Amino acid sequence: MTPASSDLPTSARALDLLHSVFGYDRFRFQQANIIQTLLDGGDALVLMPTGGGKSVCFQIPAMIRAGVGIVISPLIALMQDQVDALKTAGIRADYMNSTQSSAVRAGVEKRLLNNELDLLYVSPERLNTSDFITLLQRSCLALFAIDEAHCVSQWGHDFRSDYLQLKLLHQQFPQVPRIALTATADKRTREEIIQQLELQQARVFIHSFDRANIFYRISEGQNNRDRLWRFIQANHAGDAGIVYCLSRKRVEAIADWLHLKGRIALPYHAGMDADTRAQHQHRFLAEEGVIIVATIAFGMGIDKPDVRFVAHLNMPKTIEAYYQETGRAGRDGLPANAWLAYGMQDVISLRQISQQSEASEEFKRNQHRKLDSMLGLCEQVTCRRQTLLAYFDETLDQACGHCDNCTEPPTTWDATEAARKALSCVFRTGQRFGVNYLIDVLMGKPQERISRNRHDQISTWGIGTELSMNQWRSLFRQLLVYGYLESDSDQYGGMRLTQRAKPLLGGNENLMLREVSPVKQKLTSRSSRPSLEVTDQTLFDALRALRKSLADDLGVPPYVIFHDKSLLEMIDALPTNLSEMADISGVGAQKLERFGQAFLTVIKQHQ
Ligand code: ADP
Ligand code: ZN
């Protein structure tokens, strides 16, 4: 608490803290209302996209209210970083989890009981122990913040059983206000959070999920690895980014390959030992321009603000997953890219995984629906952002102008005739062959296996020479996506017709599809432009070098000192004294005092 401001009304004190501690001028979106709700002793449920600014919503009221704010977060590996960043800004924060020695923990306990903390981060496991509850009963509590609240939902994709116990908080400490926060929430997850955490009385704040600074690009094709490299080269030659792959093997291979290309690229997956994993995560946060190649095991809660791109070399299973993973790009609000490349095999394997799972029929049906939405997003020809937002029950009236379909509208073609040929080829070959075989039959390619099966004598043999191999592949993929075909769950992936195929085959339905043209393939490797606009690269480099050396001295990641955004503002404003420096966004009192002069000196030397 800043003593000087303690006799102001709470709303003015909140703004004062935003300015003096965090260095920001005004609250964004609903932040002020959320903070006021907690200051008034009420509960809040906050849905905000990654990078929206959730943290200050509980940090500021925890500083103003008497006692400590308990922050429950599943991200043990990141607690230290989060707490270090808070301490650097001058906030009395600490954490408690199983990675600490008992001596260190005892020290934190003491500070807690002496009322010397504004924020205490704990894991849900710890919170659920009776020792800890007893400790809380002896402490003065300002609020509970339940971060990543979607972990309580079995419907979502990050379910943690420990989260279910969190309703105890309400039962044991009914007078302490609670705030639950998440960046993922479709309606159903939201309802489950309210129910499981008993938040029926909470005010709900739903912020737009639009991430306007992210450019979305989704493309289908072959040689995705090379295309990834061209994309990185053209847009992100020195930037930090995350590349997601489905399998551990692929993660290793892609990381090695990027390394050979001259980038620092580190693998991250659940099969690696914990130390190496922690080390790779640490380097990603602490160094600049590192690429992490990871399975989905990586990323939740990573609040590195300057991840400039997130690439997927496999299709995520759901739009929620896609949105959350791509949401890790550009948290600082500066331009960032989300890039996804997929192929037919993705469609086939995702369909198979969802068929084979042991789960209940209802669960499977849900997974199917979610997968269909994801596939639909990939194949659609209209604005991606409109579809993404619609998925989260939000309407965007106009096309966004900031996605691949908006800037390079894909062409469609009447695929009715070709689709009939394909479906009838599936039927005449007995509904058991894979796509490559079917294409060979359609194109009339002489193959031993085909003549053995006498499929060079059926009516669909050689009737498809008007399309290229690639065009047929794209057609089959889209037939799968739109549910005209389904594939066997064995390794051969034989194609079968579904009920949906009937009207199309019978001539009662037309089909318009996305075109794959060689031109289009080339375009996808072109620069998608959104990169940082640095007006003075030399000064930017000098400021970054200073930031890095200060960060190394303190053992924190560079962005904990200042974000890129603050550096870019310094380049524009060229402050000459501390009071001008204080006007730069992100420069709070504590940081001004500790680092302001050093940055001023570099700026001065440069002129
Ligand atoms: P989330 O947890 O919602 O992903 P954070 O709390 O990490 O987001 O905030 C994202 C970024 O926005 C951080 O760099 C944070 O300091 C910044 N930020 C938060 N509130 C404001 C504000 N009112 N004005 C400017 N920047 C803000
Ligand atoms: Zn768009």
Side-chain angles (χ1 to χ4, degrees):
M1 198 191 298
T2 3
S5 63
S6 53
D7 41 347
L8 292 173
T10 53
S11 59
R13 267 160 63 196
L15 193 60
D16 186 55
L17 287 174
L18 182 76
H19 194 74
S20 62
V21 176
F22 298 92
Y24 300 130
D25 281 345
R26 61 187 72 87
F27 284 114
R28 280 184 184 160
F29 321 118
Q30 298 275 359
Q31 280 174 334
N33 292 334
I34 298 166
I35 290 170
Q36 196 57 51
T37 302
L38 293 167
L39 290 176
D40 293 341
D43 295 339
L45 170 61
V46 173
L47 288 80
M48 232 190 239
T50 311
K54 286 186 282 300
S55 321
V56 298
C57 296
F58 57 83
Q59 288 164 348
I60 288 182
M63 285 186 269
I64 295 178
R65 283 178 69 91
V68 61
I70 304 290
V71 185
I72 297 108
S73 157
L75 312 162
I76 298 185
L78 296 169
M79 273 181 196
Q80 174 148 19
D81 285 339
Q82 286 173 330
V83 165
D84 284 349
L86 292 170
K87 286 182 177 166
T88 310
I91 299 170
R92 305 184 308 166
D94 226 315
Y95 68 96
M96 247 193 225
N97 65 35
S98 51
T99 64
Q100 290 164 313
S101 69
S102 48
V104 171
R105 214 150 51 213
V108 180
E109 269 186 42
K110 196 163 151 232
R111 281 196 291 287
L112 175 66
L113 293 171
N114 287 344
N115 216 353
E116 288 167 10
L117 290 177
D118 283 322
L119 285 161
L120 178 66
Y121 285 69
V122 295
S123 58
E125 301 85 271
R126 177 135 302 268
L127 198 87
N128 291 332
T129 61
S130 58
D131 281 357
F132 193 75
I133 295 289
T134 314
L135 186 64
L136 289 186
Q137 277 158 351
R138 294 165 54 208
S139 316
C140 174
L141 300 177
L143 57 88
F144 289 112
I146 302 165
D147 207 2
E148 313 287 352
H150 61 279
C151 291
V152 79
S153 158
Q154 307 199 21
W155 160 267
H157 51 97
D158 287 319
F159 175 64
R160 310 248 175 158
S161 53
D162 280 314
Y163 263 67
L164 288 177
Q165 307 298 321
L166 294 181
K167 67 172 68 152
L168 288 180
L169 293 179
H170 181 47
Q171 292 156 3
Q172 305 248 7
F173 305 95
Q175 75 291 2
V176 179
R178 295 175 300 155
I179 172 171
L181 311 103
T182 176
T184 17
D186 53 21
K187 229 189 223 146
R188 173 113 184 234
T189 313
R190 192 187 313 160
E191 281 158 11
E192 216 178 321
I193 294 174
I194 292 177
Q195 198 215 338
Q196 292 293 355
L197 296 177
E198 297 181 356
L199 280 169
Q200 287 83 354
Q201 306 299 321
R203 276 189 71 183
V204 180
F205 296 91
I206 302 176
H207 171 53
S208 164
F209 271 71
D210 188 13
R211 298 289 311 279
N213 59 322
I214 298 182
F215 186 99
Y216 296 97
R217 178 180 291 284
I218 300 180
S219 66
E220 184 280 334
Q222 277 136 23
N223 304 324
N224 288 341
R225 195 181 70 165
D226 293 321
R227 292 168 55 217
L228 170 70
W229 177 243
R230 288 201 297 273
F231 159 74
I232 293 179
Q233 276 287 78
N235 303 283
H236 299 291
D239 292 337
I242 307 175
V243 177
Y244 284 108
C245 308
L246 206 58
S247 72
R248 297 169 185 186
K249 224 168 93 190
R250 187 109 198 263
V251 162
E252 302 272 353
I254 297 290
D256 285 349
W257 187 74
L258 288 173
H259 180 70
L260 284 179
K261 294 277 188 186
R263 291 297 304 257
I264 302 174
L266 306 171
Y268 189 104
H269 57 71
M272 291 163 48
D273 67 82
D275 281 351
T276 319
R277 244 177 20 214
Q279 193 202 340
H280 288 182
Q281 174 174 303
H282 178 75
R283 288 190 61 189
F284 179 64
L285 298 176
E287 296 174 22
E288 300 193 59
V290 174
I291 299 176
I292 279 278
V293 186
T295 55
I296 51 169
F298 181 78
M300 186 167 49
I302 293 280
D303 50 8
K304 184 175 166 62
D306 55 355
V307 176
R308 293 267 71 84
F309 71 93
V310 170
H312 283 91
L313 276 176
N314 289 104
M315 192 189 294
K317 280 187 216 148
T318 62
I319 288 186
E320 283 102 317
Y322 172 73
Y323 208 62
Q324 192 166 56
E325 284 151 22
T326 54
R328 291 170 187 143
R331 288 175 77 129
D332 52 12
L334 296 172
N337 274 306
W339 183 96
L340 160 65
Y342 69 104
M344 170 122 61
Q345 198 47 48
D346 283 308
V347 182
I348 295 178
S349 28
L350 287 176
R351 284 249 190 262
Q352 287 174 352
I353 293 171
S354 76
Q355 272 157 18
Q356 282 162 356
S357 92
E358 304 274 304
S360 71
E361 279 308 310
E362 195 206 338
F363 186 82
K364 275 200 218 170
R365 258 198 310 278
N366 272 328
Q367 294 304 104
H368 276 307
R369 254 202 304 273
K370 290 183 173 206
L371 179 56
D372 283 341
S373 305
M374 183 66 216
L375 293 169
L377 171 73
C378 291
E379 300 288 350
Q380 72 172 100
V381 293
T382 53
C383 176
R384 308 273 190 204
R385 200 177 307 267
Q386 279 180 323
T387 305
L388 282 170
L389 291 177
Y391 190 82
F392 297 106
D393 303 312
E394 216 182 305
T395 337
L396 185 67
D397 290 333
Q398 281 177 353
C400 76
H402 200 51
C403 72
D404 54 352
N405 285 352
C406 280
T407 57
E408 300 147 27
T411 35
T412 53
W413 62 297
D414 186 343
T416 314
E417 204 40 51
R420 280 196 199 126
K421 288 179 182 177
L423 295 176
S424 106
C425 185
V426 171
F427 183 71
R428 300 209 179 273
T429 50
Q431 312 201 57
R432 59 199 166 91
F433 292 92
V435 170
N436 291 336
Y437 185 94
L438 294 164
I439 295 178
D440 285 346
V441 173
L442 284 163
M443 296 182 82
K445 290 210 180 134
Q447 306 270 12
E448 224 273 313
R449 204 164 142 229
I450 293 179
S451 47
R452 200 168 356 106
N453 291 329
R454 298 175 166 262
H455 288 152
D456 50 1
Q457 289 166 28
I458 58 177
S459 59
T460 49
W461 165 257
I463 57 167
T465 48
E466 74 279 19
L467 298 187
S468 70
M469 176 91 174
N470 261 347
Q471 287 169 317
W472 279 117
R473 287 185 71 84
S474 155
L475 176 77
F476 271 105
R477 192 191 66 250
Q478 297 186 65
L479 290 173
L480 267 169
V481 164
Y482 293 121
Y484 294 98
L485 288 175
E486 59 190 16
S487 71
D488 276 341
S489 48
D490 61 23
Q491 54 178 317
Y492 306 108
M495 294 288 151
R496 275 193 312 263
L497 303 183
T498 65
Q499 284 301 322
R500 275 213 73 180
K502 276 199 186 136
L504 187 57
L505 264 176
N508 301 323
E509 191 183 310
N510 287 331
L511 186 66
M512 298 297 290
L513 290 183
R514 189 185 178 102
E515 180 140 44
V516 273
S517 68
V519 185
K520 192 79 204 154
Q521 297 267 335
K522 241 194 235 141
L523 273 177
T524 56
S525 65
R526 222 187 44 191
S527 159
S528 28
R529 233 151 303 125
S531 48
L532 296 191
E533 256 183 55
V534 182
T535 47
D536 184 338
Q537 188 67 43
T538 327
L539 179 54
F540 189 50
D541 291 343
L543 294 174
R544 291 222 287 190
L546 170 62
R547 176 175 72 176
K548 178 84 175 99
S549 83
L550 290 170
D552 287 349
D553 289 348
L554 292 172
V556 297
Y559 58 80
V560 167
I561 309 290
F562 288 129
H563 286 185
D564 284 353
K565 203 167 184 169
S566 304
L567 302 191
L568 292 175
E569 255 192 68
M570 289 179 203
I571 294 174
D572 281 345
L574 297 174
T576 55
N577 55 46
L578 284 173
S579 94
E580 285 172 19
M581 185 58 109
D583 289 340
I584 302 286
S585 161
V587 183
Q590 177 93 1
K591 291 191 181 182
L592 181 70
E593 191 186 316
R594 292 175 73 182
F595 315 125
Q597 195 52 55
F599 281 86
L600 284 173
T601 308
V602 169
I603 294 169
K604 190 155 176 226
Q605 279 164 357
H606 180 76
Q607 281 166 335

